[in-house]
Amino acid sequence: MKEIMLGNEGVARGVYEAGVRVASAYPGTPSTEITETIAKYDEIYSEWAPNEKVAMEVAIGAAIAGARSFTAMKHVGLNVSADPLFTASYTGINGGMVVAVADDPGMHSSQNEQDSRHYARAAKVPMLEPSDSQEAKDFTVLAYELSEKFDVPVMIRLHTRVSHSRSLVEICDRKEAPLKEYTKDCGKYVMMPGMARMRHVVVEERQKALQEYAESSELNVVEMNDTKIGIICSGICYQYAKEALPNASFLKLGMIYPLPPKKIAEFAKSVNELYIIEELDPFIETFVQSLGIKAIGKERFSVLGEYSAEKIAEAILGKKTETADISLKEELPGRPPVMCPGCPHRGLFYVLKKLRLTVSGDIGCYTLGALPPLDSMDACVCMGASIGMALGMEKARGKDFARKLVAVIGDSTFIHSGITGLIDVVYNKGTSTVIILDNSITGMTGHQHNPSTGFTIKNEPTKQVDLVQLCKAIGVDRVKVVDPFDIAEMEKTIKEELAAEEPSVIISQRPCALLKSVRYTGKVVVDQDVCTGCKMCMRIGCPAIGCKDGKITIDHTQCNGCGLCLKVCKFNAMKKVGE
Amino acid sequence: MAVTSIMIVGVGGQGTLLASKILGSVAVTQGYDVKMSEVHGMAQRGGSVVTYVRYGDKVHSPIISPGEADIVLAFEELEAMRWASFCKKGGTLIVNTQRIDPMPVVTGAKKYPSETVEQLSKSEDIRLIPVDALSLAKEAGTVKAVNVVLIGVLAKSSGIDKDVWIQAVKDNVPERFRDMNIKAFELGYNA
Ligand SMILES: Cc1ncc(C[n+]2csc(CCOP(=O)(O)OP(=O)(O)O)c2C)c(N)n1
């Protein structure tokens, strides 16, 4: 039976069919739906871990204990979990283990465009790259066989256009993979220098065996057509290139690490002109050139952003597609993402802007507070960085600077990697004010539970991390909980905590407006006789509030009646109706 | 069959994903190879969103380049203008005549383009179909059904049997909203 599936659902189906028993992950676009789909299968234990490093460790533990295991993450999540991965390459596994990592060329939802293929080489683990949903499933199943055959975690590299594209997949049954026997083996699993030295030898031997495998693997397919143009590519680029140049010859690499030198040399010899088509870094190209083979790659193709069939046709054939002639009179305004109507973060950022603070930011829906009109973020680097960076700013510029400086961080992000930053603040006598934006959910990635929400991935109730107690336990004496829609109270609290020359935490607490449990009722209307058109209400940056001919208008298809605007209108021109 | 390429564009939160899901399942029931590419994550928060749907005997790329779309189905006027040039010469542009101000317009930094539909109708390269899907959705009983109204309009231009579409709508919406959505579909189909 065939079903239409996201690439991510294809990976999840592969995990299911391969008999996997344990899956742990932390969400991150474009990888999130893999684990959300796995959670629907009762045969697999699944969980959201606090971060990618823990998820990787859970998967390693489960594999050593003899189960087939799985973890998934977005590309930057691999940075977080790289430490355990690099040494799991030395210990090897027992039950098969697969790590899915989703890259995001074009940065649809990411803070950088890093190329995770480098990790496969650096950690010396094999990496497979599917080009559609069917391959996402098939490669995942095969990855478990390779993992057990070569005693190594295997990586699956995904891509936004594979993860978030739907195509047809042939469904098969689950094949149970019984637990492998577990025996204590210090030399293999305890990585101290003496043992690790022995294991490094094993890793290098395995590298040779893997390269041998790559030469003959069914994953690397040669498609001979017209020999004028030969193309080496993998993943989504294969689909683009195939569409642009259907008559060319292809070496499609399903396994991108290690690469097969003989197969590449043979293919190169059989074509006149050799192209290497890969997004981001010249990973395949560098390898091919190291073999002394001439090929055209980055001299013709960008290291920036995404490719498409059209870009490839243009770069190789010089062909431009004709488009419909639409001449527009004016330049079009962009449409950046905005906080949703009713978003609890809006109230807090309104106050931050009003107080003109320096804001050390973090990653989540609240990063949208960096954009106009809220305009209140000075820096944002990676998950969890806000608190450490605020401390760094304070240590660089002194305590006076800290009196106008806050760090903002979401609940999920705080648990992910903000706690250690806060410990640093306390331990090293910082005086920063940290604001935890607790909206009761991991919002940005589409509503996943986390340790502070009190529910598991399967919506079962569990212990909930008490953020107040946690902050107190690590030595923050000043911890306050404030509703961000109580603007006056929030402003007062922030001023007080900034003035205090010691670490303080403000928990800005109000649930995400998109949660089912949140029910705002009614709509806001503007009394046009009272409205002076002062536009104060527009400073909160609500997409439902507009202005026509000097008068404020409310878009009722968007307004959810949260009522925040009522609190900023000085003339009481806004009213709620229909409650 | 050669590949048909359809783009669905709009504003995050307008329900473009459901529309593409319905379109995709229609293409599957017709026995075609199908690929669709969606946007999840960041841009969903009120940003400009685009979904690509392609079907035919064999589809490789899940995305559509400028000048390749047979149909662009736009949920909003500004987004229609933004993506119009993805239409091929002779392509169709369906526009929901609804305006949602983007934040740069709300803050006064930029202006919403004037005479949107008039400007688009000047192009001789495309067939323009403007529809007031919001009013039709209200008539069906909920402003949330804008997406299904527009699917109705698209169905009319698709050359695929109406019953197939109705079945796909039924399969993809919750039971209790079924009648309302069928009504919305019909209003769009007959618009
Ligand atoms: C290392 C890493 N993992 C995952 C992500 C993806 N990601 C971005 S924001 C976010 C969670 C944000 O949740 P929270 O902190 O609760 O803030 P909210 O979006 O709810 O406001 C995640 C998982 C990332 N950017 N980096």
Side-chain angles (χ1 to χ4, degrees):
Chain A
M1 193 187 62
K2 278 196 173 179
E3 255 182 52
I4 188 153
M5 281 190 181
L6 283 176
N8 281 347
E9 292 167 340
V11 174
R13 184 73 203 180
V15 166
Y16 172 76
E17 290 178 8
V20 170
R21 287 161 183 266
V22 177
S24 178
Y26 182 75
T29 316
S31 72
T32 313
E33 299 81 6
I34 304 175
T35 313
E36 287 179 329
T37 307
I38 289 174
K40 293 181 189 151
Y41 296 115
D42 284 332
E43 294 90 335
I44 307 173
Y45 165 80
S46 58
E47 62 167 39
W48 288 127
N51 63 34
E52 293 87 350
K53 179 172 182 285
V54 175
M56 180 77 76
E57 290 154 353
V58 170
I60 293 170
I64 289 178
R68 283 194 166 183
S69 72
F70 178 77
T71 184
M73 62 208 65
K74 70 182 286 161
H75 61 340
V76 287
L78 191 53
N79 303 335
V80 178
S81 61
D83 195 12
L85 176 68
F86 275 57
T87 302
S89 169
Y90 277 41
T91 63
I93 44 86
N94 179 20
M97 172 172 163
V98 170
V99 177
V101 55
D103 283 7
D104 189 18
M107 293 177 275
H108 297 271
S109 294
S110 302
Q111 68 267 37
N112 77 22
E113 206 170 18
Q114 71 187 48
D115 188 331
S116 61
R117 294 177 299 174
H118 298 297
Y119 273 102
R121 188 172 53 202
K124 304 190 175 181
V125 300
M127 182 181 253
L128 315 186
E129 183 173 32
S131 72
D132 62 17
S133 302
Q134 179 71 54
E135 286 185 358
K137 192 197 88 163
D138 295 344
F139 286 18
T140 303
V141 174
L142 181 63
Y144 280 98
E145 286 169 29
L146 297 183
S147 172
E148 288 173 0
K149 181 167 171 201
F150 293 99
D151 190 15
V152 63
V154 175
M155 294 172 84
I156 302 272
R157 185 209 191 203
L158 298 161
H159 177 291
T160 304
R161 301 296 187 185
V162 172
S163 285
H164 287 168
S165 289
R166 291 179 197 271
S167 57
L168 293 164
V169 178
E170 183 76 42
I171 302 298
C172 306
D173 290 333
R174 175 173 165 98
K175 260 218 216 94
E176 284 304 332
L179 275 182
K180 294 205 166 175
E181 198 183 331
Y182 172 72
T183 37
K184 186 167 168 163
D185 186 347
C186 211
K188 186 168 187 292
Y189 297 123
V190 181
M191 286 301 94
M192 297 159 66
M195 292 82 139
R197 269 178 220 122
M198 309 294 285
R199 290 301 301 176
H200 190 180
V201 178
V202 177
V203 170
E204 297 307 324
E205 288 300 318
R206 185 181 70 208
Q207 285 284 89
K208 283 183 215 147
L210 280 167
Q211 192 159 70
E212 249 344 271
Y213 169 79
E215 294 286 7
S216 59
S217 170
E218 68 212 71
L219 286 162
N220 300 326
V221 188
V222 175
E223 292 174 17
M224 287 317 282
N225 276 311
D226 190 342
T227 52
K228 232 166 64 201
I229 294 177
I231 294 170
I232 302 180
C233 57
S234 71
I236 195 69
C237 284
Y238 166 76
Q239 303 290 359
Y240 297 155
K242 192 79 188 164
E243 176 138 345
L245 300 136
N247 301 321
S249 292
F250 282 85
L251 169 55
K252 174 181 180 291
L253 299 167
M255 182 167 186
I256 40 176
Y257 189 79
L259 290 164
K262 285 189 215 131
K263 202 165 211 163
I264 289 171
E266 228 168 85
F267 180 73
K269 250 191 259 152
S270 63
V271 297
N272 295 353
E273 212 170 40
L274 183 64
Y275 288 88
I276 293 167
I277 303 182
E278 55 185 330
E279 290 172 342
L280 305 179
D281 297 338
F283 182 84
I284 303 172
E285 186 180 342
T286 309
F287 180 78
V288 171
Q289 269 160 3
S290 77
L291 303 172
I293 296 168
K294 223 175 105 20
I296 303 167
K298 293 298 170 188
E299 62 182 270
R300 213 60 90 74
F301 292 93
S302 179
V303 291
L304 310 175
E306 286 191 271
Y307 295 176
S308 63
E310 184 211 22
K311 281 187 189 163
I312 292 169
E314 198 181 327
I316 297 184
L317 306 173
K319 197 171 93 181
K320 266 205 166 301
T321 329
E322 241 194 312
T323 70
D325 181 14
I326 315 272
S327 43
L328 300 175
K329 282 195 299 201
E330 58 238 290
E331 201 195 314
L332 301 179
R335 190 184 297 276
V338 287
M339 289 175 192
C340 306
C343 179
H345 302 331
R346 181 171 285 115
L348 173 69
F349 275 89
Y350 172 79
V351 176
L352 295 180
K353 164 104 185 220
K354 187 170 172 205
L355 298 176
R356 296 174 191 278
L357 301 177
T358 301
V359 179
S360 176
D362 223 303
I363 305 195
C365 290
Y366 48 95
T367 315
L368 295 169
L371 303 178
L374 294 166
D375 262 332
S376 292
M377 194 170 286
D378 291 65
C380 167
V381 173
C382 70
M383 281 191 76
S386 58
I387 304 179
M389 282 168 55
L391 181 64
M393 288 176 171
E394 174 178 351
K395 295 299 180 189
R397 302 191 76 92
K399 279 190 183 164
D400 284 347
F401 190 76
R403 299 287 71 76
K404 293 214 83 104
L405 167 69
V406 294
V408 294
I409 184 165
D411 51 340
S412 184
T413 306
F414 179 67
I415 301 275
H416 178 280
S417 49
I419 299 171
T420 40
L422 188 57
I423 291 175
D424 195 19
V425 170
V426 175
Y427 175 53
N428 288 308
K429 305 179 183 177
T431 66
S432 314
T433 298
V434 173
I435 304 177
I436 301 175
L437 293 86
D438 179 9
N439 60 352
S440 310
I441 203 74
T442 313
M444 181 92 267
T445 40
H447 283 189
Q448 292 77 31
H449 282 297
N450 70 56
S452 74
T453 69
F455 292 90
T456 69
I457 194 170
K458 291 198 186 252
N459 278 316
E460 288 157 2
T462 182
K463 279 239 180 210
Q464 181 177 13
V465 171
D466 183 330
L467 293 174
V468 174
Q469 290 302 327
L470 174 66
C471 295
K472 291 203 163 150
I474 60 182
V476 181
D477 294 328
R478 302 178 69 98
V479 184
K480 293 200 174 138
V481 181
V482 183
D483 176 358
F485 276 16
D486 188 343
I487 288 176
E489 180 66 19
M490 183 60 85
E491 184 175 338
K492 185 175 142 252
T493 310
I494 293 177
K495 282 183 180 159
E496 277 168 17
E497 296 313 313
L498 282 171
E501 263 201 33
E502 61 176 295
S504 45
V505 170
I506 301 169
I507 299 175
S508 173
Q509 203 165 55
R510 176 173 275 259
C512 171
L514 301 184
L515 285 173
K516 283 209 178 71
S517 53
V518 175
R519 287 185 189 276
Y520 295 115
T521 53
K523 304 262 175 228
V524 172
V525 293
V526 184
D527 185 340
Q528 297 296 355
D529 297 334
V530 182
C531 176
T532 63
C534 74
K535 297 191 183 167
M536 263 309 276
C537 55
M538 295 184 77
R539 295 199 190 170
I540 61 176
C542 175
I545 303 178
C547 183
K548 268 225 166 73
D549 309 321
K551 289 286 184 183
I552 297 299
T553 57
I554 306 288
D555 176 354
H556 283 161
T557 64
Q558 297 202 65
C559 175
N560 67 353
C562 81
L564 180 68
C565 52
L566 272 65
K567 298 187 178 145
V568 296
C569 178
K570 293 208 171 89
F571 304 96
N572 292 323
M574 306 191 127
K575 304 239 157 16
K576 284 263 297 273
V577 293
E579 274 184 279
Chain B
M1 191 193 81
V3 174
T4 300
S5 298
I6 301 178
M7 283 170 73
I8 302 181
V9 304
V11 179
Q14 278 193 303
T16 52
L17 277 187
L18 177 69
S20 62
K21 227 172 149 188
I22 293 171
L23 169 57
S25 60
V26 164
V28 172
T29 56
Q30 297 305 97
Y32 294 129
D33 186 24
V34 181
K35 281 197 178 154
M36 342 190 341
S37 181
E38 308 171 350
V39 188
H40 299 222
M42 193 83 172
Q44 273 185 303
R45 309 268 174 271
S48 167
V49 291
V50 47
T51 308
Y52 307 99
V53 181
R54 309 188 71 216
Y55 55 90
D57 289 338
K58 175 78 195 156
V59 183
H60 286 291
S61 169
I63 59 172
I64 298 168
S65 300
E68 279 194 334
D70 296 280
I71 303 177
V72 173
L73 174 62
F75 277 48
E76 198 267 350
E77 289 185 12
L78 172 58
E79 297 312 311
M81 297 184 91
R82 195 186 314 285
W83 299 98
S85 65
F86 275 66
C87 273
K88 60 170 61 150
K89 274 183 184 276
T92 300
L93 176 60
I94 301 170
V95 188
N96 174 23
T97 54
Q98 189 182 341
R99 289 180 164 215
I100 300 176
D101 287 349
M103 203 39 73
V105 171
V106 172
T107 60
K110 293 270 163 63
K111 274 187 85 141
Y112 197 101
S114 53
E115 297 164 358
T116 327
V117 172
E118 290 82 346
Q119 283 195 56
L120 289 170
S121 65
K122 286 205 186 97
S123 170
E124 289 178 0
D125 286 351
I126 55 167
R127 187 164 73 101
L128 185 73
I129 308 180
V131 216
D132 182 359
L134 186 60
S135 299
L136 294 175
K138 279 183 192 155
E139 197 179 324
T142 168
V143 293
K144 294 213 172 91
V146 163
N147 51 6
V148 180
V149 171
L150 289 168
I151 277 291
V153 182
L154 177 70
K156 186 89 177 196
S157 306
S158 71
I160 298 172
D161 204 31
K162 185 176 165 190
D163 293 338
V164 176
W165 286 93
I166 291 193
Q167 190 56 45
V169 171
K170 282 185 186 161
D171 292 347
N172 284 288
V173 300
E175 178 94 48
R176 57 206 163 98
F177 300 127
R178 207 172 260 180
D179 294 345
M180 202 147 63
N181 277 298
I182 297 298
K183 189 167 174 206
F185 176 86
E186 291 283 356
L187 286 168
Y189 194 87
N190 298 315

